[in-house]
Amino acid sequence: MKLRPEMTGEALTRLKRARGQLNAVIEMMENGEDCRAALTQLAAVSKAIDRAGFKIIASGMRYCDAARQAGEEPEMTEEELEKLFLSLA
């Protein structure tokens, strides 16, 4: 399934925010800043990336369900989507 802008808008926003947070973590490490603060930021990056993945899966599920309801063949099966979801969990 191709990523479409209508499917990835929120996820893309989250990933861009995570990229900024990750850059901050890298700078903190390079500058020898507080470990606790760096790990807190790193945890936020990890959570943002996970949530972006879940958003993409949820959008894909909605997209495939809409295709089924329209009598079309979805680009991915429920099993494929489930496998992707479980890979994030």
Side-chain angles (χ1 to χ4, degrees):
M1 175 181 340
K2 293 191 186 273
L3 296 172
R4 294 169 178 79
E6 64 272 12
M7 293 172 58
T8 60
E10 287 183 49
L12 188 57
T13 299
R14 287 179 188 277
L15 289 172
K16 287 180 180 181
R17 189 176 310 128
R19 179 174 53 192
Q21 290 172 314
L22 184 56
N23 286 338
V25 170
I26 292 168
E27 285 183 31
M28 294 170 86
M29 292 174 71
E30 289 175 341
N31 296 332
E33 294 184 29
D34 182 60
C35 173
R36 201 170 308 148
L39 288 175
T40 299
Q41 283 294 322
L42 192 57
V45 170
S46 179
K47 186 174 181 178
I49 291 170
D50 288 345
R51 291 181 67 83
F54 290 130
K55 283 281 188 188
I56 292 170
I57 295 291
S59 294
M61 291 171 74
R62 283 192 297 274
Y63 181 82
C64 289
D65 187 52
R68 265 187 230 93
Q69 289 183 14
E72 301 169 6
E73 184 69 28
E75 293 180 48
M76 295 184 79
T77 66
E78 289 179 16
E79 291 79 20
E80 290 172 315
L81 287 166
E82 180 180 356
K83 186 175 180 180
L84 289 172
F85 174 80
L86 291 173
S87 73
L88 294 173

